Amino acid sequence: MRLQIIKSKNAQSLYVVKSVYHNKKRTNKVIEKLGTYEDLRNTLDEDPIKWAKKYVEELNQKEKDGTRTVIVKYQPTKIIEKNLQTSFNAGYLFLEKLYYSLGINNICKSISQKYKFEYNLDSILSRLIYGRIIFPASKLATNELSKKFLEQPSFELHHIYRALEVIAKETDFIQSEVYKNSLSISNRNTSILYYDCTNYFFEIEQECNLKQYGPSKEHRPNPIVQMGLFMDGDGIPLAFSITSGNTNEQTTLTPIEEKILEDFKLSKFIVCTDAGLASNANRKFNDKDDRAFITTQSIKKLKKYLMDWALETKEWKLSGDKRTYDISKLENEDSYKDKIFYKERWINENSLEQKLIVTYSIKYRDYQKKIRNSQIERAQNAINGKSLKLDKCHQNDFKRFVKKTSVTKDGEIAEDKIYTIDNEQIAKEAKFDGFYGVCTNLESSPEEIIKVNQRRWEIEESFRIMKSDFKARPVYLSRDDRIIAHFTTCFLSLVLHRFLEKKLEEKFTSSQIIDTLREMTFMGIIGNGYIPTYTRTDLTDALHEKFGFRTDYQIISNHQLKKIFKEIKN
């Protein structure tokens, strides 16, 4: 700020003015009118110009200290300037802090030096990540939505598509470098790695390259691609791969694990998977060197003698209790509701020595029974309503409880199919209620194995976040390299999101965090700064406390904002 004296025919007026930049143009903004020279001379004991200069110096010092009172004047008769943006998102600043902490800006710099392109890869990738979390949309829409952030993008739409090609080529490098950089901000728990697969559909009918017809997790009749994801023991994504939709998911584990062994320099870990990925080949691959496996085992698919042993009601144990129990004769079930009974034995299947652990839980039994009863009710309603096609059903569809016959009770051929509830199927499934199987080559206690396996829910939640919160599906890109780049940005978004959850000590849900970041908006006041227009909450307080800067002052000056940017990028 500086003193400006404007002379007219009858007087000279003193103003405090400030140079501001708007739309890349420098203009002078009047901060305060001090009065005319004559009026000030009549009220002051010193020369008005000398006093005014000291007053401006005090204002500059207060602005530097962040203590200057800001007065903004609005006129109800003045129309706002056309195309003037006044609303900005500030929630992305917390993501940006993590982005720089993970050194993704330096990764972009290394890639840029390798390819010698002119566009700003750092600006593009960062906006694709922030946008995927806060404003999930297409690449076209993200290009426009990026302008909502305080820091304006330095790229155009065609730069995004060119950058996607490079991101796809360097996806392995990006993943390994992010992991290495993350070690400086977090003690990664790589002693246990969780792996799972899911798939994403396309709004197309024709198969092409990666986009192939396969068993869709959502039973959609569209071509899909498949994602395999590794997560560390604390729920932070580690690595991923994209394969064609018709690939057997059991064959996807070994290639990505080999990448982790080579690029991440990890060698000693336990791989935990669900039953769908528990092929004998995968178990054997992790039954050597310093690796081990824990995998869900379907009791229904056990050999008969093992199934009989697993379902036998006697010889069950409880942790810390030397007695054995008959689970069919528990006198007071409520007192055992939160207990997990177990039994274990070593088996040799397909030349692989492994331990089979079976657990039984009353709470899990009641949960399965409740789900099945709800499905039976739906099946009965469908039969009564005669409005649904009951001939086809999926594995877990309620229609599996519908029995179809073509003869009457008298043995005559019926004109129409007769639908009834299949009580045999209900009884067949009910005998497995409450039972759960796990196989491992570890000699650890059943309690430890069960505890590790129970955390698989986090990788399933990661897929849910990507599909629902990040809107990673359906995918509208057609080229394979752009598809891989799309999921690379989704993966990096998930990494930042998970680190943010951990930093907030997992006190808030994923939806709460994303909604809050989206709602953290500023109103820009040209020349004065930004006014927060969001509601201060426990979550916004936690964000400011954990990240070491605040955005919830009544007004944030441009000087304060520059300090925040500098702190974030250090």
Side-chain angles (χ1 to χ4, degrees), residues 280 284 303 305-306 347-354:
N280 195 59
K284 284 186 176 180
K303 291 182 178 179
Y305 79 98
L306 290 175
I347 60 175
N348 192 316
E349 296 291 319
N350 300 314
S351 303
L352 179 63
E353 194 79 18
Q354 53 191 314

Side-chain angles (χ1 to χ4, degrees), residues 195-199 217 226 243 246-253 274-277 282:
Y195 183 74
D196 204 353
C197 278
T198 192
N199 46 53
K217 301 284 184 182
Q226 193 159 247
T243 53
N246 58 1
T247 303
N248 182 345
E249 65 178 18
Q250 292 185 346
T251 64
T252 64
L253 185 146
D274 66 9
L277 292 154
N282 287 342

Side-chain angles (χ1 to χ4, degrees), residues 15-81:
Y15 296 88
V16 179
V17 298
K18 183 178 181 180
S19 295
V20 298
Y21 288 86
H22 178 57
N23 291 334
K24 298 181 180 180
K25 293 181 180 179
R26 179 183 173 186
T27 58
N28 290 330
K29 181 178 177 63
V30 175
I31 301 300
E32 187 178 349
K33 182 179 179 180
L34 302 178
T36 65
Y37 184 88
E38 291 297 325
D39 290 341
L40 290 171
R41 189 174 64 175
N42 294 331
T43 57
L44 296 172
D45 295 331
E46 59 181 315
D47 179 63
I49 295 177
K50 188 176 180 180
W51 168 84
K53 288 180 177 179
K54 286 194 293 185
Y55 179 72
V56 172
E57 286 179 10
E58 291 175 4
L59 288 181
N60 283 326
Q61 186 60 46
K62 286 182 177 180
E63 181 163 278
K64 186 177 180 181
D65 298 336
T67 57
R68 181 175 75 90
T69 300
V70 178
I71 299 173
V72 181
K73 297 180 180 179
Y74 290 101
Q75 299 178 24
T77 58
K78 188 174 181 179
I79 297 175
I80 60 174
E81 185 180 333

